[in-house]
């Protein structure tokens, strides 16, 4: 298999045909093929998202231990103001998330649990293939199609109820 988006999707289509096989061993092998494809689609941990009540106070807290603010934006569709804080060289970042309205998922999180880790985000080579592969394995994706995330990235989420209690974000950076 190659390593571009079309190759991943083509491989998933082949696996889907196998998943429907009457033969249990063939169906299990197809499931294993999907896992292998996902192993190539996932790149690494992109960021850890923290729900915060006050964005500037949170920037001050994390800056004090040497993290650096590298990006700030407002995303009204997601109901957040977010600040990306680089850890060390910045390969992995902390994402500070403050609610912009009462209906924001961050407002709901803070009301229920207070500030803390709200999500873990994986960088992926292709968000469509990552979402499709995870669906094929029985995970629940929040969106049928990806939405816009930080820096114009494409994002989707795995519902925490299907993911061991973790809200898992999938991020495809657009270069
Ligand atoms: C809710 N639950 C969580 C959770 N949020 N568990 C772990 N981590 C979380 N973040 C649990 C909650 O305690 C309930 O468990 C159950 O899930 C409720 O599920 P629900 O009724 O379906 O939904 P809600 O209303 O609690 O909402 C949860 C979801 C919501 C995940 C659907 O937060 C959402 O749409 N999130 C995706 C969008 C998002 O988070 N945007 C902000 C970041 P019990 O009590 O039933 O056991 S924006 C962003 O990251 C950007 C822009 C970016 O990175 O680029």
């Amino acid at each position: 298999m190659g390593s571009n988006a079309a190759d991943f999707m083509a491989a998933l289509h082949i696996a889907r045909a196998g998943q429907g096989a009457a033969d249990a061993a063939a169906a299990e092998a197809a499931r294993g093929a999907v896992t292998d494809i996902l192993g190539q689609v996932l790149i690494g941990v992109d960021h850890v998202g923290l729900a915060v009540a006050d964005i500037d106070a949170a920037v001050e807290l994390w800056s004090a231990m040497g993290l650096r603010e590298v990006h700030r934006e407002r995303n009204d569709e997601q109901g957040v103001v977010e600040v990306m804080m680089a850890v060390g060289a910045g390969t992995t970042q902390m994402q500070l998330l403050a609610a912009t309205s009462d209906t924001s998922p961050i407002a709901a999180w803070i009301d229920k649990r207070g500030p803390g880790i709200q999500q873990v985000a994986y960088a992926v080579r292709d968000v469509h293939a990552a979402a499709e592969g995870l669906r094929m394995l029985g995970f629940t994706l929040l969106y049928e199609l990806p939405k816009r995330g930080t820096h114009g990235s494409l994002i989707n989420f795995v519902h925490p109820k299907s993911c061991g209690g973790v809200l898992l974000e999938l991020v495809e950076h657009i270069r």
Side-chain angles (χ1 to χ4, degrees):
M1 184 176 66
S3 61
N4 66 43
D7 293 331
F8 294 133
M9 277 306 197
L12 286 172
H13 285 305
I14 293 168
R16 177 176 293 109
Q19 269 193 317
D23 173 1
E28 190 51 37
R31 206 177 148 81
V34 176
T35 299
D36 289 347
I37 294 161
L38 284 170
Q40 295 177 56
V41 173
L42 305 185
I43 298 169
V45 174
D46 184 85
H47 64 264
V48 175
L50 307 184
V52 307
D54 178 331
I55 198 83
D56 292 322
V59 169
E60 196 178 323
L61 174 80
W62 292 94
S63 297
M65 68 176 80
L67 276 61
R68 290 168 295 112
E69 176 174 342
V70 289
H71 182 70
R72 185 182 284 235
E73 76 177 62
R74 181 184 173 110
N75 183 328
D76 285 316
E77 186 180 30
Q78 293 292 332
V80 298
V81 170
E82 57 152 297
V83 173
M84 282 296 188
M85 303 288 297
V87 185
T91 315
T92 306
Q93 307 189 338
M94 300 290 269
Q95 181 187 45
L96 309 179
L97 294 159
T100 53
S101 74
D102 292 347
T103 55
S104 164
I106 301 303
W109 174 273
I110 298 252
D111 278 355
K112 196 168 174 185
R113 312 189 191 205
I117 297 178
Q118 188 253 356
Q119 57 166 267
V120 173
Y122 289 166
V124 299
R125 294 183 209 287
D126 176 44
V127 72
H128 294 88
E132 193 52 25
L134 288 165
R135 273 192 206 102
M136 286 169 71
L137 295 179
F139 292 89
T140 306
L141 275 292
L142 286 190
Y143 310 138
E144 183 59 31
L145 293 173
K147 295 187 188 276
R148 197 190 67 74
T150 315
H151 270 309
S153 59
L154 294 174
I155 61 173
N156 205 335
F157 293 88
V158 183
H159 196 287
K161 284 287 182 193
S162 74
C163 198
V166 176
L167 176 62
L168 181 63
E169 182 182 348
L170 308 170
V171 189
E172 179 184 344
H173 290 289
I174 305 298
R175 314 214 180 264

